[in-house]
Amino acid sequence: MGYNRLCGCWTSGSSSTKLVLIMIPLILVFGFVSVWRPPSLHWFSISQSSSSWLAISSLPPPPPFINTSNSFREETLYNNTEECIPLNVGKSFEENLPSSAPVVEEVAENPKPLPFNETQVIPSMKRLRRKYTRLMKLEAGLSKARNAILEAKNGNNSLDPDYVPQGPMYWNPRAFHRSYLEMEKKFKVYVYKEGEPPVFHNGPGQSIYSTEGNFIGMMEIDSQFRTDNPDKAHVFFLPFSVVMLVKFVYVPDSHDFGLIKKTVFDYVNVISNKYPYWNRTLGADHFMLSCHDWGPETSKAVPNLYKNSIRVLCNANTSEGFKPSKDVSLPEINLRGSGSGLLGGPSPSKRPILAFFAGGVHGPVRPLLLEHWENKDNDIQVHRYLPKGVSYDKMMRKSRFCLCPSGYEVASPRVVEALYTGCVPVLISDHYVPPFSDVLNWSSFSVEVPLKDIPRLKEILTSISSRQYIRLQRRGVQIRKHFEVHSPPQRYDFFHMILHSVWLRRLNVRIRDQ
């Protein structure tokens, strides 16, 4: 062993000395190159991606129910079962409500990062800014309304100076009340201005079809819900009257719907070419209204009007395509004069007649009713036509139950007439969805009799105890306010309840930017 002056170290031999002399310079060169050479493209990309992830994650989450993609899919327009308030007739409002509130990103614990997009990042890469469109803000407001309704079902009643819904007549009175108040605060309707009276923006004010004309007329002059700015509207109203189409366009006795359908088709074509809103949703946030029997057939003029739009119809027949989750059952009211004289009736103890019906024979149901009960029993007064001098309204006020059989179509004005006079309505119809049945529990203030049980009618009605009957009658009087027609409209009346039904169905539609 000896000291090597070249390396400044002790060595044990010449071979070892040579190896050390070679390795030391190589190590020094490799270290210098590693420190000073630029990083590879692969590592640089990862570093940048990490920065982008942090910048995106630091953003506040987008408003609820906002579509971050630019694609449009028809199947997502309506019936979003995870994020909507289902409207299943036959179940209570509370049962229809989702078991948990919809997912709201603004309170999510682990929001998903948005996809990287250079247009979303400011030059410094420290903060992202998201541009919220009017539609996004509109949908965010509806999301808040959904949550408020869902929370109200288990909360306390809201304060209201006019009316607070209570009792078994409502599936969930608290949820209904909150929904109604949210509607009053937020809901906006745009009425298309195209079209000229009498076919458009007009309708009958009196007759069996009066609800059609009354709603159209009230919507024309409304200042609370109607908006002149379509960008602020939640729904769009197509103001054509099927009654007026039948009167001015239809060729009598031709049995040809062609001209009526062509008029509606051309009208929708005009607004779809002039405005972007119909094409944006394929009509899912649009609604039509008709009390004429031909309303459902007229809607078939435009496939998307029939399939997607909210159809407000008196002829609410599920066997003919009426969908309670999408469509609205419109009360059929035969207004005569102001209608105020129809309201009210004596107490149950002053009603000697068990059941009453008088009317023309048409459709499949009434012949069965007349066959079994016409002039057969004094307790059940069934007539084709009333004798001279006998008042129809007075007979209803003398009766405990008022029979409401369907005619050619399922709806009958006798349902509302019975409620007006304090008579318990007996619905004799198959496939009929009663008005406002997403809110009202009809079994609590009416009797439903299927066609097959018409021979057992007296047995069914007499089996209802006096105590139970008094409950039915009093509840009917209490909810009568929802079927009353006022000019100008009053809160919770016919006009507002129709709007509320449309409002509920709009809550089930999530519109996305194209």
Side-chain angles (χ1 to χ4, degrees), residues 73 225 344 351 369 431 461 475:
R73 295 185 301 170
F225 298 99
R351 295 176 178 266
L369 180 65
H431 312 295
L461 297 181
R475 292 168 183 169

Side-chain angles (χ1 to χ4, degrees), residues 216-421:
I216 293 174
M218 292 174 184
M219 201 70 252
E220 288 291 318
I221 62 175
D222 178 74
S223 60
Q224 179 180 1
F225 298 99
R226 181 172 177 174
T227 177
D228 290 328
N229 185 349
D231 287 330
K232 294 183 178 180
H234 298 94
V235 295
F236 301 81
F237 180 43
L238 305 170
F240 62 84
S241 168
V242 177
V243 176
M244 293 303 185
L245 283 169
V246 173
K247 183 177 181 179
F248 292 99
V249 178
Y250 175 70
V251 178
D253 301 322
S254 67
H255 306 289
D256 183 8
F257 295 101
L259 291 176
I260 293 177
K261 288 185 174 182
K262 186 178 187 306
T263 303
V264 174
F265 178 86
D266 289 343
Y267 182 71
V268 174
N269 190 49
V270 167
I271 64 171
S272 65
N273 285 319
K274 185 175 180 180
Y275 303 92
Y277 309 104
W278 175 274
N279 295 326
R280 181 180 69 181
T281 65
L282 301 179
D285 57 349
H286 288 59
F287 76 99
M288 61 163 284
L289 180 141
S290 172
C291 200
H292 197 279
D293 293 349
W294 296 351
E297 187 66 26
T298 301
S299 69
K300 295 179 181 178
V302 182
N304 285 325
L305 177 62
Y306 176 84
K307 177 183 177 182
N308 296 338
S309 298
I310 303 169
R311 300 179 304 156
V312 184
L313 304 171
C314 283
N315 187 15
N317 190 338
T318 57
S319 68
E320 297 180 0
F322 183 89
K323 297 180 179 180
S325 62
K326 178 184 75 72
D327 301 324
V328 174
S329 179
L330 177 66
E332 187 170 306
I333 305 174
N334 187 8
L335 286 180
R336 304 186 295 274
S338 64
S340 59
L342 298 176
L343 300 178
S347 63
S349 62
K350 297 180 180 179
R351 295 176 178 266
I353 302 173
L354 177 64
F356 165 72
F357 168 79
V361 181
H362 59 83
V365 180
R366 296 183 185 182
L368 293 175
L369 180 65
L370 291 165
E371 177 187 349
H372 286 281
W373 296 106
E374 185 180 22
N375 300 323
K376 301 288 180 65
D377 194 307
N378 289 331
D379 290 333
I380 298 183
Q381 297 280 332
V382 175
H383 307 275
R384 293 173 191 260
Y385 303 101
L386 283 174
K388 286 186 177 182
V390 178
S391 169
Y392 179 83
D393 294 337
K394 288 182 178 178
M395 288 293 293
M396 296 191 82
R397 288 183 170 87
K398 290 181 180 179
S399 304
R400 304 178 73 185
F401 297 95
C402 289
L403 307 181
C404 308
S406 61
Y408 285 122
E409 303 299 344
V410 292
S412 170
R414 290 167 180 79
V415 177
V416 176
E417 290 171 346
L419 293 173
Y420 278 7
T421 57

Side-chain angles (χ1 to χ4, degrees), residues 148-168:
I149 296 169
L150 293 168
E151 291 173 0
K153 68 174 185 177
N154 297 319
N156 297 324
N157 286 331
S158 303
L159 297 178
D160 195 320
D162 293 331
Y163 182 71
V164 177
Q166 292 180 335

Side-chain angles (χ1 to χ4, degrees), residues 14 43 56 93 113 206-207 209 225 227 240 263-264 277 280 318 325 336 390 430 442 473 482 506:
S14 61
W43 285 105
I56 293 171
F93 202 124
Q206 296 183 16
S207 79
Y209 305 123
F225 298 99
T227 177
F240 62 84
T263 303
V264 174
Y277 309 104
R280 181 180 69 181
T318 57
S325 62
R336 304 186 295 274
V390 178
D430 286 343
W442 278 80
Q473 198 266 349
H482 301 316
R506 176 60 180 87

